Amino acid sequence: MEQRVAIAIPRAQTGNIWQFLSRLGRAKGLLLPVFLLILWESLSRFGLVAPNLLPAPSSILTTVWQLGAAGELWQHIGITLYRVFVGFLIGTFLATILGGLTGYSCLIHDLLDPLLQSLRNIPSLAWVPLFILWMGIHEPSKIALIAVGVFFPVYLNLMSGIHNVDRKLVEVGKIYRLNDWQLISRVFLPATLPAYIVGLRSGLGLGWMFVVAAELMGASQGLGFLLIDGQATGRPAITLASILLFAIFGKVTDSIIGFASHWLLHWQDVYASNH
């Protein structure tokens, strides 16, 4: 009897913990970052990490506040958001057209896909000298590099999504004598949309990664420039502040697509919808 009681108590406590976490909803995703920040701050306060290598979170927030109060930070954030936004639109537009064509037409797939797949394996930094040669160090070369990063995940997911559409659905559409446009809008579009949204989120993530490489190309503004400037001048707080801002804005923009996907895919009855 004593053993049973001893076992029941931890189980009850575990159940209470899970109930508490379930009540938090999406807010429980903040628990781990907050815990890590508290641990990081504590280690810095007790001198267990060198401040010149890893400043405390409070020091980083102070640096962000000072840059924001001076007005300098908003210029860096604004130009980076502009570059990512424009590069994302261009890359998504081209990827949607080519991904749709290569997915729907076997002839176009055989003509274009081998070339695009070979270009996909070129490292991001390898494009930098070519774009500088073609477009100089101004905005077009930076936006073009971001568009390249966005293009391939969107293209690959859309094309694969179209190829993986259930053949029976297409046959049913043809039985009902749907024309090509009706077949695309009623069969291919709903079936491909989940994969396409995954491609958008992956492309956006790569867009944020490529913007750092883009802002190495002679930029005088942007979070990527601020990151490199902090490293060059020996100010780790600025470097870490830039990384923190990349993480925040990357998460915010990804969440926007995530919320939009819940609205667009509300008709899906999937496992994740129960969480």
Side-chain angles (χ1 to χ4, degrees):
M1 181 64 69
E2 293 179 355
Q3 292 179 350
R4 291 180 181 177
V5 172
I7 294 173
I9 292 174
R11 287 179 179 173
Q13 292 175 347
T14 303
N16 292 334
I17 292 173
W18 286 114
Q19 290 177 2
F20 170 74
L21 291 176
S22 63
R23 291 194 190 100
L24 291 176
R26 295 185 179 274
K28 60 179 173 285
L30 296 174
L31 292 177
L32 184 57
V34 170
F35 170 76
L36 293 176
L37 286 174
I38 293 173
L39 178 62
W40 179 3
E41 182 73 26
S42 301
L43 293 175
S44 299
R45 293 289 181 182
F46 288 107
L48 298 178
V49 293
N52 62 322
L53 298 178
L54 190 64
S58 56
S59 300
I60 297 172
L61 292 177
T62 301
T63 300
V64 172
W65 176 264
Q66 292 173 347
L67 290 173
E72 177 184 358
L73 181 62
W74 308 115
Q75 297 176 359
H76 292 300
I77 291 175
I79 192 63
T80 295
L81 288 174
Y82 164 77
R83 289 164 179 160
V84 173
F85 179 72
V86 176
F88 178 75
L89 288 182
I90 295 174
T92 298
F93 175 75
L94 295 175
T96 301
I97 293 176
L98 294 180
L101 290 175
T102 54
Y104 191 70
S105 171
C106 293
L107 175 61
I108 296 177
H109 176 272
D110 293 340
L111 288 173
L112 287 181
D113 188 65
L115 173 63
L116 294 176
Q117 293 296 343
S118 62
L119 295 176
R120 183 171 66 90
N121 295 295
I122 298 176
S124 60
L125 291 178
W127 294 101
V128 173
L130 183 62
F131 287 160
I132 291 177
L133 181 64
W134 286 351
M135 294 173 275
I137 61 174
H138 302 294
E139 292 303 310
S141 60
K142 297 174 177 60
I143 292 173
L145 182 61
I146 297 168
V148 167
V150 173
F151 174 87
F152 290 107
V154 179
Y155 165 80
L156 188 61
N157 277 271
L158 178 56
M159 181 191 66
S160 301
I162 295 174
H163 283 173
N164 292 327
V165 172
D166 193 338
R167 184 184 296 274
K168 295 178 181 178
L169 295 176
V170 180
E171 291 175 354
V172 169
K174 291 181 178 179
I175 290 173
Y176 282 96
R177 297 181 179 180
L178 299 180
N179 57 38
D180 287 343
W181 174 248
Q182 291 173 330
L183 199 63
I184 292 171
S185 61
R186 297 185 183 182
V187 177
F188 281 98
L189 182 60
T192 308
L193 195 56
Y196 181 62
I197 290 175
V198 172
L200 290 178
R201 298 180 72 171
S202 300
L204 180 62
L206 276 181
W208 279 106
M209 295 172 63
F210 272 55
V211 75
V212 177
E215 291 178 343
L216 291 176
M217 297 191 297
S220 59
Q221 286 183 325
L223 292 177
F225 165 78
L226 198 63
L227 186 149
I228 301 301
D229 184 62
Q231 177 264 330
T233 57
R235 296 179 291 175
I238 291 182
T239 299
L240 288 170
S242 302
I243 294 173
L244 177 64
L245 290 171
F246 272 122
I248 292 173
F249 285 108
K251 174 58 180 173
V252 169
T253 52
D254 178 74
S255 297
I256 292 173
I257 297 180
F259 287 134
S261 69
H262 289 308
W263 176 71
L264 292 171
L265 303 176
H266 65 277
W267 46 268
Q268 280 190 316
D269 186 15
V270 294
Y271 174 73
S273 63
N274 297 322
H275 287 67

PDB file of all heavy atoms in Angstrom, residues 53-71:
ATOM      1  N   LEU A  53      33.021  38.255 -24.273  1.00  0.00           N
ATOM      2  CA  LEU A  53      32.658  37.226 -25.233  1.00  0.00           C
ATOM      3  C   LEU A  53      31.147  37.007 -25.298  1.00  0.00           C
ATOM      4  O   LEU A  53      30.579  36.821 -26.379  1.00  0.00           O
ATOM      5  CB  LEU A  53      33.356  35.901 -24.888  1.00  0.00           C
ATOM      6  CG  LEU A  53      34.885  35.901 -24.927  1.00  0.00           C
ATOM      7  CD1 LEU A  53      35.425  34.547 -24.507  1.00  0.00           C
ATOM      8  CD2 LEU A  53      35.383  36.272 -26.321  1.00  0.00           C
ATOM      9  N   LEU A  54      30.498  37.034 -24.142  1.00  0.00           N
ATOM     10  CA  LEU A  54      29.058  36.788 -24.084  1.00  0.00           C
ATOM     11  C   LEU A  54      28.440  37.745 -23.063  1.00  0.00           C
ATOM     12  O   LEU A  54      28.281  37.394 -21.897  1.00  0.00           O
ATOM     13  CB  LEU A  54      28.780  35.335 -23.698  1.00  0.00           C
ATOM     14  CG  LEU A  54      27.327  34.860 -23.825  1.00  0.00           C
ATOM     15  CD1 LEU A  54      26.900  34.914 -25.287  1.00  0.00           C
ATOM     16  CD2 LEU A  54      27.176  33.447 -23.282  1.00  0.00           C
ATOM     17  N   PRO A  55      28.109  38.964 -23.480  1.00  0.00           N
ATOM     18  CA  PRO A  55      27.505  39.927 -22.555  1.00  0.00           C
ATOM     19  C   PRO A  55      26.160  39.423 -22.032  1.00  0.00           C
ATOM     20  O   PRO A  55      25.484  38.608 -22.671  1.00  0.00           O
ATOM     21  CB  PRO A  55      27.320  41.182 -23.423  1.00  0.00           C
ATOM     22  CG  PRO A  55      28.197  40.980 -24.602  1.00  0.00           C
ATOM     23  CD  PRO A  55      28.280  39.513 -24.826  1.00  0.00           C
ATOM     24  N   ALA A  56      25.772  39.928 -20.874  1.00  0.00           N
ATOM     25  CA  ALA A  56      24.498  39.546 -20.270  1.00  0.00           C
ATOM     26  C   ALA A  56      23.339  40.058 -21.113  1.00  0.00           C
ATOM     27  O   ALA A  56      23.462  41.074 -21.813  1.00  0.00           O
ATOM     28  CB  ALA A  56      24.413  40.115 -18.857  1.00  0.00           C
ATOM     29  N   PRO A  57      22.193  39.376 -21.071  1.00  0.00           N
ATOM     30  CA  PRO A  57      21.020  39.858 -21.815  1.00  0.00           C
ATOM     31  C   PRO A  57      20.634  41.290 -21.455  1.00  0.00           C
ATOM     32  O   PRO A  57      20.180  42.051 -22.318  1.00  0.00           O
ATOM     33  CB  PRO A  57      19.922  38.867 -21.402  1.00  0.00           C
ATOM     34  CG  PRO A  57      20.650  37.620 -21.040  1.00  0.00           C
ATOM     35  CD  PRO A  57      21.936  38.076 -20.440  1.00  0.00           C
ATOM     36  N   SER A  58      20.811  41.658 -20.179  1.00  0.00           N
ATOM     37  CA  SER A  58      20.484  43.031 -19.778  1.00  0.00           C
ATOM     38  C   SER A  58      21.374  44.040 -20.506  1.00  0.00           C
ATOM     39  O   SER A  58      20.914  45.122 -20.901  1.00  0.00           O
ATOM     40  CB  SER A  58      20.637  43.186 -18.265  1.00  0.00           C
ATOM     41  OG  SER A  58      21.947  42.822 -17.846  1.00  0.00           O
ATOM     42  N   SER A  59      22.653  43.698 -20.715  1.00  0.00           N
ATOM     43  CA  SER A  59      23.562  44.585 -21.447  1.00  0.00           C
ATOM     44  C   SER A  59      23.159  44.699 -22.912  1.00  0.00           C
ATOM     45  O   SER A  59      23.232  45.781 -23.512  1.00  0.00           O
ATOM     46  CB  SER A  59      24.999  44.070 -21.348  1.00  0.00           C
ATOM     47  OG  SER A  59      25.431  44.006 -20.006  1.00  0.00           O
ATOM     48  N   ILE A  60      22.706  43.574 -23.484  1.00  0.00           N
ATOM     49  CA  ILE A  60      22.273  43.589 -24.886  1.00  0.00           C
ATOM     50  C   ILE A  60      21.019  44.439 -25.040  1.00  0.00           C
ATOM     51  O   ILE A  60      20.912  45.243 -25.981  1.00  0.00           O
ATOM     52  CB  ILE A  60      22.029  42.149 -25.366  1.00  0.00           C
ATOM     53  CG1 ILE A  60      23.343  41.359 -25.325  1.00  0.00           C
ATOM     54  CG2 ILE A  60      21.450  42.142 -26.769  1.00  0.00           C
ATOM     55  CD1 ILE A  60      23.179  39.888 -25.605  1.00  0.00           C
ATOM     56  N   LEU A  61      20.066  44.289 -24.115  1.00  0.00           N
ATOM     57  CA  LEU A  61      18.841  45.094 -24.179  1.00  0.00           C
ATOM     58  C   LEU A  61      19.144  46.577 -23.996  1.00  0.00           C
ATOM     59  O   LEU A  61      18.511  47.432 -24.629  1.00  0.00           O
ATOM     60  CB  LEU A  61      17.847  44.616 -23.115  1.00  0.00           C
ATOM     61  CG  LEU A  61      17.253  43.219 -23.348  1.00  0.00           C
ATOM     62  CD1 LEU A  61      16.351  42.827 -22.182  1.00  0.00           C
ATOM     63  CD2 LEU A  61      16.482  43.173 -24.658  1.00  0.00           C
ATOM     64  N   THR A  62      20.103  46.881 -23.141  1.00  0.00           N
ATOM     65  CA  THR A  62      20.517  48.276 -22.971  1.00  0.00           C
ATOM     66  C   THR A  62      21.097  48.834 -24.262  1.00  0.00           C
ATOM     67  O   THR A  62      20.812  49.979 -24.651  1.00  0.00           O
ATOM     68  CB  THR A  62      21.554  48.380 -21.837  1.00  0.00           C
ATOM     69  OG1 THR A  62      20.991  47.900 -20.620  1.00  0.00           O
ATOM     70  CG2 THR A  62      22.003  49.822 -21.646  1.00  0.00           C
ATOM     71  N   THR A  63      21.905  48.019 -24.948  1.00  0.00           N
ATOM     72  CA  THR A  63      22.475  48.437 -26.234  1.00  0.00           C
ATOM     73  C   THR A  63      21.373  48.685 -27.262  1.00  0.00           C
ATOM     74  O   THR A  63      21.405  49.680 -28.007  1.00  0.00           O
ATOM     75  CB  THR A  63      23.448  47.357 -26.750  1.00  0.00           C
ATOM     76  OG1 THR A  63      24.504  47.177 -25.791  1.00  0.00           O
ATOM     77  CG2 THR A  63      24.041  47.771 -28.086  1.00  0.00           C
ATOM     78  N   VAL A  64      20.389  47.778 -27.319  1.00  0.00           N
ATOM     79  CA  VAL A  64      19.271  47.948 -28.252  1.00  0.00           C
ATOM     80  C   VAL A  64      18.505  49.231 -27.938  1.00  0.00           C
ATOM     81  O   VAL A  64      18.125  49.993 -28.831  1.00  0.00           O
ATOM     82  CB  VAL A  64      18.335  46.724 -28.192  1.00  0.00           C
ATOM     83  CG1 VAL A  64      17.061  46.975 -29.003  1.00  0.00           C
ATOM     84  CG2 VAL A  64      19.043  45.481 -28.705  1.00  0.00           C
ATOM     85  N   TRP A  65      18.282  49.491 -26.641  1.00  0.00           N
ATOM     86  CA  TRP A  65      17.556  50.700 -26.228  1.00  0.00           C
ATOM     87  C   TRP A  65      18.316  51.965 -26.633  1.00  0.00           C
ATOM     88  O   TRP A  65      17.722  52.927 -27.117  1.00  0.00           O
ATOM     89  CB  TRP A  65      17.335  50.667 -24.728  1.00  0.00           C
ATOM     90  CG  TRP A  65      16.673  51.906 -24.198  1.00  0.00           C
ATOM     91  CD1 TRP A  65      17.276  53.007 -23.651  1.00  0.00           C
ATOM     92  CD2 TRP A  65      15.275  52.193 -24.196  1.00  0.00           C
ATOM     93  NE1 TRP A  65      16.353  53.949 -23.290  1.00  0.00           N
ATOM     94  CE2 TRP A  65      15.104  53.479 -23.618  1.00  0.00           C
ATOM     95  CE3 TRP A  65      14.150  51.495 -24.621  1.00  0.00           C
ATOM     96  CZ2 TRP A  65      13.861  54.058 -23.460  1.00  0.00           C
ATOM     97  CZ3 TRP A  65      12.908  52.072 -24.458  1.00  0.00           C
ATOM     98  CH2 TRP A  65      12.769  53.347 -23.892  1.00  0.00           C
ATOM     99  N   GLN A  66      19.632  51.952 -26.442  1.00  0.00           N
ATOM    100  CA  GLN A  66      20.439  53.114 -26.789  1.00  0.00           C
ATOM    101  C   GLN A  66      20.439  53.365 -28.300  1.00  0.00           C
ATOM    102  O   GLN A  66      20.323  54.514 -28.746  1.00  0.00           O
ATOM    103  CB  GLN A  66      21.871  52.918 -26.288  1.00  0.00           C
ATOM    104  CG  GLN A  66      21.995  52.937 -24.763  1.00  0.00           C
ATOM    105  CD  GLN A  66      23.389  52.567 -24.284  1.00  0.00           C
ATOM    106  OE1 GLN A  66      24.209  52.071 -25.068  1.00  0.00           O
ATOM    107  NE2 GLN A  66      23.653  52.783 -23.005  1.00  0.00           N
ATOM    108  N   LEU A  67      20.554  52.300 -29.081  1.00  0.00           N
ATOM    109  CA  LEU A  67      20.518  52.460 -30.536  1.00  0.00           C
ATOM    110  C   LEU A  67      19.150  52.945 -30.999  1.00  0.00           C
ATOM    111  O   LEU A  67      19.039  53.769 -31.907  1.00  0.00           O
ATOM    112  CB  LEU A  67      20.848  51.128 -31.217  1.00  0.00           C
ATOM    113  CG  LEU A  67      22.296  50.632 -31.091  1.00  0.00           C
ATOM    114  CD1 LEU A  67      22.423  49.230 -31.676  1.00  0.00           C
ATOM    115  CD2 LEU A  67      23.256  51.582 -31.798  1.00  0.00           C
ATOM    116  N   GLY A  68      18.094  52.424 -30.352  1.00  0.00           N
ATOM    117  CA  GLY A  68      16.753  52.867 -30.707  1.00  0.00           C
ATOM    118  C   GLY A  68      16.507  54.310 -30.327  1.00  0.00           C
ATOM    119  O   GLY A  68      15.878  55.068 -31.085  1.00  0.00           O
ATOM    120  N   ALA A  69      16.990  54.727 -29.158  1.00  0.00           N
ATOM    121  CA  ALA A  69      16.801  56.107 -28.710  1.00  0.00           C
ATOM    122  C   ALA A  69      17.549  57.081 -29.622  1.00  0.00           C
ATOM    123  O   ALA A  69      17.088  58.212 -29.846  1.00  0.00           O
ATOM    124  CB  ALA A  69      17.277  56.256 -27.263  1.00  0.00           C
ATOM    125  N   ALA A  70      18.680  56.648 -30.148  1.00  0.00           N
ATOM    126  CA  ALA A  70      19.451  57.507 -31.046  1.00  0.00           C
ATOM    127  C   ALA A  70      18.856  57.568 -32.450  1.00  0.00           C
ATOM    128  O   ALA A  70      19.266  58.400 -33.261  1.00  0.00           O
ATOM    129  CB  ALA A  70      20.889  57.026 -31.113  1.00  0.00           C
ATOM    130  N   GLY A  71      17.908  56.684 -32.742  1.00  0.00           N
ATOM    131  CA  GLY A  71      17.283  56.649 -34.064  1.00  0.00           C
ATOM    132  C   GLY A  71      18.030  55.821 -35.083  1.00  0.00           C
ATOM    133  O   GLY A  71      17.532  55.582 -36.186  1.00  0.00           O
TER     134      GLY A  71
END
